């Protein structure tokens, strides 16, 4: 397998690993969510995230030609997601990760490279639901009392730092750009910063009211 081809494998595995870990944490941590609705939603989203990860691992195995049953992530998930231990970190991780993943998926769909065919269109609707849900929870936590807003901000910032490092790598990968897998003017970082900033803007608006 060429070094260049590995860029695409790594991209697929990074998304799959994060979804695999988030699915796992949505069950482990989500089961003790602060509300019944939160807990039930977590379990439902866990199944969807794990389903997305299976689809992506299958796509990667088609690219590599190696068929294998994935029982553990390949080590490319964001460390902050691996370390999720409470509801605040879970919500922040779910939101920030899906913002980053959504941008990459949409950029690849826009590039429309006939040789790549990722299964992203199947996932986008469910992913959009996860984004709306986790953004709403982030706003709720940032408007809460005591240490919760600060802890939520910190969790968002830590995951965002890792997500941005990944987006920089994707955007600057010569193979992905020259082979038109990611469009040249994808502006992933710019769009990511704008999307993450939306939560703060929404919270500021509600505080004024």
């Amino acid at each position: 397998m060429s070094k260049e081809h590995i860029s695409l494998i790594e991209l697929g595995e990074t998304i799959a690993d994060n979804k695999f870990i988030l699915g796992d944490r949505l069950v482990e941590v989500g089961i003790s969510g602060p509300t019944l609705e939160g807990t039930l939603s977590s379990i439902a989203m866990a199944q969807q995230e794990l389903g997305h990860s299976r689809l992506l691992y299958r796509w990667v195995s088609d690219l590599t030609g190696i068929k294998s049953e994935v029982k553990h992530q390949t080590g490319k998930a964001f460390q902050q997601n691996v370390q999720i231990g409470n509801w605040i970190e879970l919500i922040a991780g779910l939101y920030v990760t899906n913002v980053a993943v959504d941008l990459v998926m949409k950029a690849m769909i826009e590039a429309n490279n006939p040789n790549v065919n990722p299964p992203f269109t199947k996932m986008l609707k469910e992913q959009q639901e996860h984004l709306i849900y986790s953004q709403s929870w982030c706003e709720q936590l940032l408007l809460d009392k005591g240490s919760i807003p600060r802890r939520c901000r910190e969790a968002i910032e830590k995951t965002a730092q890792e997500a941005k490092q990944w987006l920089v790598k994707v955007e600057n990968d010569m193979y992905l750009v020259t082979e038109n897998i990611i469009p040249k003017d994808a502006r992933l970082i710019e769009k990511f910063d704008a999307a993450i900033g939306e939560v703060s803007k929404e919270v500021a608006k509600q505080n004024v009211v």
Side-chain angles (χ1 to χ4, degrees):
M1 191 190 303
S2 70
K3 186 183 174 189
E4 290 80 10
H5 197 52
I6 289 168
S7 295
L8 187 55
I9 306 299
E10 282 188 359
L11 186 148
E13 286 181 340
T14 301
I15 299 175
D17 281 358
N18 276 300
K19 285 186 167 288
F20 183 90
I21 289 294
L22 285 172
D24 188 57
R25 299 298 179 268
L26 278 160
V27 174
E28 278 185 10
V29 177
I31 199 76
S32 54
T35 64
L36 178 61
E37 183 266 338
T39 296
L40 294 174
S41 296
S42 280
I43 304 302
M45 285 189 294
Q47 296 308 312
Q48 291 170 341
E49 291 288 1
L50 290 168
H52 295 176
S53 75
R54 279 193 295 273
L55 263 179
L56 286 159
Y57 286 130
R58 203 173 303 137
W59 174 59
V60 168
S61 76
D62 287 345
L63 291 172
T64 59
I66 302 164
K67 304 286 176 196
S68 63
E69 187 64 35
V70 178
K71 293 191 169 64
H72 308 283
Q73 63 131 338
T74 70
K76 298 178 186 71
F78 304 151
Q79 262 318 105
Q80 188 64 17
N81 287 338
V82 174
Q83 292 166 3
I84 285 170
N86 58 56
W87 182 258
I88 294 171
E89 291 169 354
L90 177 67
I91 289 298
L94 185 67
Y95 175 61
V96 174
T97 304
N98 273 318
V99 167
V101 164
D102 201 61
L103 287 169
V104 172
M105 285 185 174
K106 284 175 177 170
M108 287 177 74
I109 288 169
E110 185 193 326
N112 197 24
N113 186 319
N115 301 316
V116 178
N117 294 322
F120 297 159
T121 45
K122 294 178 184 176
M123 306 180 204
L124 283 178
K125 185 171 179 253
E126 285 178 351
Q127 188 161 277
Q128 193 57 35
E129 289 167 6
H130 296 191
L131 273 168
I132 291 165
Y133 177 84
S134 54
Q135 180 174 342
S136 167
W137 258 106
C138 278
E139 288 165 8
Q140 201 174 315
L141 293 168
L142 289 167
L143 286 164
D144 214 312
K145 301 282 184 283
S147 67
I148 292 172
R150 174 186 56 77
R151 286 167 59 205
C152 185
R153 271 194 308 275
E154 285 171 0
I156 289 171
E157 282 164 16
K158 283 179 185 170
T159 314
Q161 199 174 354
E162 280 191 86
K164 277 175 83 165
Q165 285 169 356
W166 174 59
L167 291 176
V168 167
K169 193 177 168 188
V170 170
E171 208 165 38
N172 294 331
D173 190 301
M174 287 311 295
Y175 173 74
L176 297 177
V177 175
T178 54
E179 291 296 313
N180 193 36
I181 294 167
I182 295 285
K184 281 190 180 69
D185 58 344
R187 305 193 336 272
L188 298 175
I189 301 297
E190 189 186 317
K191 290 174 182 173
F192 177 79
D193 283 339
I196 298 299
E198 278 303 307
V199 173
S200 303
K201 278 186 203 163
E202 197 55 45
V203 169
K205 262 194 265 175
Q206 290 187 50
N207 272 328
V208 169
V209 173

